[in-house]
Amino acid sequence: MINTRLLFAPLLLSVLLVACGGESPTTADAPATATAPAAAPVAGESATADEPALDPAAAGEAPAASDAGQPADRAPADPAADAAVAAASQAATQGPALVAGTDYIEIPGGQPFAPLEGKVEVVEVFAYSCAHCAAFDPLVAAWKKRLPGDVRFTYLPAVFYEQDNFPKAFFAAEAIGVLDRLHGPLFNAMHIERSLRPDASTEDIIAWMAKQGADAGQLKGTVDSFAVKAKIARTKQFIVRSGIDATPTVVVNGKYRVRGRSLEDVLRITDQLVARERAAAQAGGSD
């Protein structure tokens, strides 16, 4: 059986981190599928206000991340993503020192999404409708497998507008314990299979999840629960506090909003910031 995530390969070679802005998607706004890489941003397009201008020489391979919270030993093997992550890791250890304002933005008064509990927190704010997030998905999945035990990775769905039903479906799936096996396939459903639209109703998303084996009754009983609404409110606070207006965006320990000229470069910068925070923690310099 063909691994559908490999269909992103053409896109991965050309995609750059202009990212998906915080606008309400419509059918017309829906990103092109991974089989249409010409629709991806190219060097010279204007960047969002949150991202640096693109460097035409900075086009790098951009593999992506997978199953939200999925254990590393359950993530499908992706040799291309593994190789790209290895290259990013090498660049992190051998490359130049980070430059504030270019490689990352320091968040004034920034706070982690969840208590650190002795760990370094890495958060990715994403949207299922975002083609760049879909491209980032296998890369992050491969990257997560390399994380040391004192680093905690968390996916957060962007809550840029009230009409988006995917964030509450995400948290409902998380609450009933099925998110691990649905996160990656949701990107495929949106960008490869086209079985879900960016403006899908809650009922449509639950119906799709039920076809993947999730309990529709549990999802319906959870999706509008107080716990899910609280998670959405907390996520919105984190996004506003961190100055996030585009996806995918990575935040380290609530302190640093990562920039980068390619998706691979984002991981290179994240690795260096994580190393900085781990060193500070070991020296007793962090919470």
Side-chain angles (χ1 to χ4, degrees):
M1 181 175 180
I2 296 174
N3 184 344
T4 53
R5 294 198 306 172
L6 296 180
L7 294 178
F8 284 115
L11 177 62
L12 304 186
L13 296 175
S14 61
V15 69
L16 291 173
L17 191 63
V18 179
C20 309
E23 299 177 356
S24 171
T26 62
T27 303
D29 294 330
T33 65
T35 55
V42 296
E45 289 182 348
S46 59
T48 63
D50 186 51
E51 301 297 338
L54 294 175
D55 180 348
E61 286 95 359
S66 174
D67 325 357
Q70 177 167 321
D73 59 359
R74 291 176 54 192
D78 190 332
D82 288 338
V85 169
S89 178
Q90 184 176 18
T93 57
Q94 300 179 0
L98 296 179
V99 178
T102 298
D103 296 316
Y104 66 90
I105 300 296
E106 191 160 0
I107 300 168
Q111 296 292 325
F113 175 72
L116 294 178
E117 299 174 349
K119 296 190 176 184
V120 174
E121 179 188 77
V122 179
V123 168
E124 182 206 345
V125 177
F126 76 96
Y128 287 116
S129 60
C130 171
H132 296 85
C133 300
F136 201 33
D137 186 60
L139 189 58
V140 172
W143 179 79
K144 287 193 303 176
K145 292 187 291 186
R146 293 169 167 259
L147 293 179
D150 60 349
V151 179
R152 182 183 69 226
F153 182 85
T154 301
Y155 288 111
L156 286 181
V159 285
F160 291 140
Y161 60 101
E162 297 296 331
Q163 295 78 16
D164 186 359
N165 295 306
F166 283 92
K168 63 180 182 179
F170 173 96
F171 288 121
E174 180 183 63
I176 70 170
V178 298
L179 182 61
D180 290 358
R181 55 190 171 88
L182 295 181
H183 179 71
L186 272 165
F187 281 117
N188 284 342
M190 182 79 70
H191 300 282
I192 301 298
E193 301 163 1
R194 293 288 186 152
S195 53
L196 281 174
R197 295 157 53 102
D199 59 352
S201 66
T202 303
E203 292 73 19
D204 287 342
I205 301 170
I206 289 176
W208 180 90
M209 289 181 170
K211 290 179 180 178
Q212 317 309 310
D215 187 313
Q218 282 188 300
L219 288 169
K220 289 177 182 178
T222 306
V223 73
D224 289 314
S225 66
F226 174 80
V228 166
K229 290 178 179 177
K231 267 289 186 74
I232 289 176
R234 184 175 164 199
T235 299
K236 187 178 297 185
Q237 289 175 349
F238 177 82
I239 287 173
V240 172
R241 183 172 68 235
S242 302
I244 297 170
D245 62 4
T247 57
T249 294
V250 175
V251 176
V252 177
N253 257 11
K255 298 179 181 180
Y256 309 109
R257 191 172 70 245
V258 178
R259 307 186 82 176
R261 296 176 297 175
S262 70
L263 296 174
E264 185 177 283
D265 197 41
V266 168
L267 291 187
R268 189 265 306 176
I269 296 166
T270 301
D271 274 338
Q272 289 181 265
L273 289 172
V274 166
R276 175 188 295 182
E277 290 299 289
R278 292 184 72 207
Q282 291 167 8
S286 68
D287 295 336

